[in-house]
Amino acid sequence: VLIDDPPQRRNHLRGQPRVETGILHIYPMYPRCPRIRATMIGVSDSPHQRLATLSAALLRFHKSLLDSERAAYERDVARITSTGQYLQLVLGDPWFAWLREISQFIVLVDEARDADDPPVTAADADRLIGEARALLSPSENAGGFHRRYYEVLQRDPAAVLAHGAMMQVLAQLKA
């Protein structure tokens, strides 16, 4: 079932074999701004589900930061002409280097979630959720990721809304 499927479709499919309804449901907050979305979450107590919720929210959040940085890059440096060029810039250009910290954290969450031996525990999930909170704390006086994150929040309202949505997710994942 797609995340953006209407509730009637999700409810209709609930309970059927091999159908899993979405944990995250994303709906446009403002009709005229389809990029700005709100999140409603039904969080399970399962550590695996908590990490799946965290991972999905981090991916959406990471995409919003990438979009913001792409717009800033195109405004300040040069226009990006293809998706291949964009990928190369994200992977190798210093402009996007600060975002690698969140990319690596998403990989860490996904690896923990997918681990079979030993399986993810509630303590592991709590630790990773705490690390996400620490990582996503902007600071004007810090360096690296936290400073650049602060700067993005100062210039881009969409990043502020994405930050708010991510904080809601983290609040609902609270142990």
Side-chain angles (χ1 to χ4, degrees), residues 37 80 93 96 101 104 111 136 139:
R37 296 177 176 269
I80 299 172
D93 193 280
F96 296 93
E101 193 167 339
Q104 292 168 350
E111 285 175 349
L136 301 180
S139 175

Side-chain angles (χ1 to χ4, degrees), residues 35-87:
R35 287 184 44 209
I36 301 172
R37 296 177 176 269
T39 306
M40 294 177 4
I41 302 174
V43 179
S44 167
D45 289 336
S46 155
H48 185 271
Q49 284 296 95
R50 291 176 70 212
L51 290 182
T53 300
L54 177 63
S55 178
L58 284 169
L59 285 170
R60 280 193 320 280
F61 177 73
H62 185 254
K63 179 167 181 348
S64 73
L65 291 180
L66 281 170
D67 291 344
S68 176
E69 283 302 289
R70 179 181 183 154
Y73 184 90
E74 288 183 331
R75 181 190 67 233
D76 296 344
V77 179
R79 186 169 177 273
I80 299 172
T81 57
S82 70
T83 54
Q85 179 193 11
Y86 182 45
L87 178 62

Side-chain angles (χ1 to χ4, degrees), residues 48 51-52 55 107-120:
H48 185 271
L51 290 182
S55 178
V107 169
L108 184 70
V109 169
D110 288 343
E111 285 175 349
R113 185 187 67 188
D114 295 338
D116 291 331
D117 188 29
V120 66

